[in-house]
Amino acid sequence: MAEADPGVLEGLELDTADAGRKARRNKLLSIIGIAVLAALLIYGAWYFLVGSRTISTDNAYVGADTASVTPMVSGQVIEVAVADTQVVRKGDVLVRLDDSEARIALAQAEADLAKARRQFGQAAATSSALAAQVQARSAEEGRARAQLSAAQAEFAKASVDLERRRKLAPGGAVSGDELSSATSAYAAARANLDLARAGISQAGAIRNAASGELAANNALISGTTAVSSPDVLAAQARLDLARLNLERTVVRAPIAGVITRRSVQTGQRVGSGAPLMLIVPVEQVYVDANFKEAQLRRLKIGQPVTLTSDLYGSGVEFHGKVVGMSGGTGSSFALIPAQNATGNWIKVVQRLPVRVALDPRELRARPLRVGLSMEAVIDVSAQ
């Protein structure tokens, strides 16, 4: 049997190897095509079921409405009861100020109130005394009128006697002495009458003056009591203010949270309104998520949000809802807003802050801190 040509055998082996490589390549391409097709189908299914229903961003940060602690009164700090990073509850003592001046002011206000009440009592007693004086002046005026009547009668009698004697004097029936006596009696009666009339005027003036004093004093106390008197109320208001200022020498936490940026030290004198520290309410934080403008087409208030934080990792989810959108983009409120009126303008995609409120129960279990980054996914299919 003839031996095979080695060249032919080598060619057959090469053809067989090429066929094997082509078969493997075709199989690999088929696998790749199937994988790509499967990936497209999976992506299509994911986009149809999930991707088209949600929008997401990793440009989101934790924020909070912090409380600035400031004293309502000025004074020297005698105690600072908290430190940075300390957790406090609402009403906890933060700072104590020297209350010596406030206690003195309170004592002065208490004395002023007691004085006002005593003055009201004196005014009420004065009214009673003035009423008695008015009655006495009225009695004096009545006596003056009686004296006037008597003086009028004496004057009438003296006038008649003088007239009768004047008529008898020419015939010698009345002596000159009698006529002189009658004339003197007439003059005396006339003087007494004028004096009685003046007495009535004086008594009336005195009674009117007493009545005026009584009316003026009654105007001060009419319709009021020792509690409702204006002077007493003003003194009570000053006392309440003094007590409030004394209470304000103890600075308390207005909200619960974590102490931050404490700047006050013991012995320092602080003025009213000077910032002492900040309190961050870690159980009331929110998230500002910055979404691209093209993502906001279907965004609505109240849609649910799922968030994750680098602090706890992707395995821990926070839940919340959209509560609002900012009135403008971040660049529009910048200190120096961008000017796009130039010829080389390039469009830059803008982002709008979206406010997300978080579940308080989740925040109590896993507190967040202001400034932490978050990833937010909003279900825009929810209405």
Side-chain angles (χ1 to χ4, degrees):
M1 192 174 175
E3 294 182 358
D5 187 357
V8 175
L9 293 175
E10 185 177 355
L12 292 173
E13 290 176 356
L14 290 174
D15 292 339
T16 303
D18 289 340
R21 283 195 298 271
K22 289 180 180 179
R24 287 193 299 271
R25 185 173 63 239
N26 292 336
K27 183 178 180 180
L28 179 60
L29 291 175
S30 298
I31 293 173
I32 292 175
I34 293 172
V36 171
L37 181 59
L40 291 175
L41 291 175
I42 292 173
Y43 175 77
W46 173 84
Y47 182 77
F48 178 75
L49 297 175
V50 179
S52 62
R53 297 172 178 267
T54 62
I55 57 175
S56 63
T57 182
D58 58 358
N59 189 353
Y61 303 94
V62 178
D65 295 327
T66 60
S68 179
V69 178
T70 59
M72 299 296 293
V73 294
S74 60
Q76 185 178 18
V77 178
I78 61 175
E79 180 186 359
V80 180
V82 294
D84 277 340
T85 73
Q86 182 174 336
V87 178
V88 296
R89 294 173 297 179
K90 182 178 180 180
D92 286 351
V93 175
L94 304 178
V95 177
R96 295 183 186 272
L97 304 179
D98 185 7
D99 60 358
S100 301
E101 294 181 0
R103 291 187 180 278
I104 294 174
L106 177 61
Q108 180 64 49
E110 290 175 343
D112 290 343
L113 177 60
K115 181 179 179 181
R117 289 174 176 171
R118 179 170 297 180
Q119 287 177 343
F120 179 84
Q122 291 176 347
T126 300
S127 289
S128 299
L130 290 175
Q133 289 184 10
V134 170
Q135 292 180 353
R137 300 309 179 189
S138 297
E140 290 180 358
E141 185 178 11
R143 184 177 60 179
R145 292 186 181 279
Q147 290 176 349
L148 176 61
S149 298
Q152 288 175 339
E154 290 292 333
F155 178 72
K157 179 177 180 301
S159 296
V160 172
D161 290 344
L162 177 61
E163 186 65 23
R164 186 172 58 249
R165 283 173 173 72
R166 281 178 178 176
K167 290 179 180 180
L168 296 176
V174 177
S175 64
D177 291 338
E178 289 182 359
L179 181 60
S180 297
S181 297
T183 303
S184 298
Y186 172 81
R190 185 177 185 129
N192 289 334
L193 178 61
D194 293 339
L195 183 61
R197 288 173 176 170
I200 289 179
S201 299
Q202 182 179 8
I206 294 175
R207 180 184 59 78
N208 291 335
S211 298
E213 291 180 2
L214 177 61
N217 197 78
N218 286 337
L220 295 176
I221 63 174
S222 177
T224 61
T225 64
V227 177
S228 61
S229 170
D231 291 340
V232 174
L233 291 176
Q236 183 66 55
R238 291 192 294 270
L239 176 60
D240 294 340
L241 179 60
R243 286 174 178 167
L244 182 60
N245 288 336
L246 179 60
E247 293 177 359
R248 286 173 172 173
T249 58
V250 179
V251 182
R252 300 181 180 273
I255 60 174
V258 177
I259 300 298
T260 306
R261 293 172 56 185
R262 197 202 81 176
S263 60
V264 62
Q265 303 295 333
T266 302
Q268 177 182 352
R269 183 171 182 83
V270 296
S272 175
L276 306 181
M277 64 192 73
L278 292 178
I279 299 180
V280 180
V282 293
E283 294 185 3
Q284 299 176 11
V285 297
Y286 50 80
V287 171
D288 283 332
N290 301 296
F291 285 92
K292 297 178 181 179
E293 50 191 318
Q295 294 178 296
L296 304 176
R297 294 188 183 97
R298 294 188 292 163
L299 184 67
K300 295 182 180 179
I301 306 299
Q303 289 174 336
V305 186
T306 303
L307 305 102
T308 56
S309 169
D310 293 342
L311 178 64
Y312 296 105
S314 59
V316 176
E317 291 185 346
F318 293 86
H319 299 87
K321 64 179 180 179
V322 177
V323 295
M325 290 182 286
S326 176
T329 63
S331 61
S332 63
F333 296 121
L335 183 61
I336 303 178
Q339 295 294 329
N340 298 324
T342 60
N344 59 351
W345 174 75
I346 299 175
K347 180 179 180 180
V348 178
V349 176
Q350 300 296 315
R351 290 180 178 267
L352 187 72
V354 176
R355 180 64 57 86
V356 178
L358 300 176
D359 187 344
R361 294 173 298 178
E362 295 178 348
L363 287 175
R364 283 193 292 269
R366 293 182 175 86
L368 295 172
R369 294 296 186 266
V370 174
L372 293 179
S373 59
M374 304 283 287
E375 292 186 10
V377 179
I378 302 178
D379 183 1
V380 294
S381 65
Q383 299 300 325

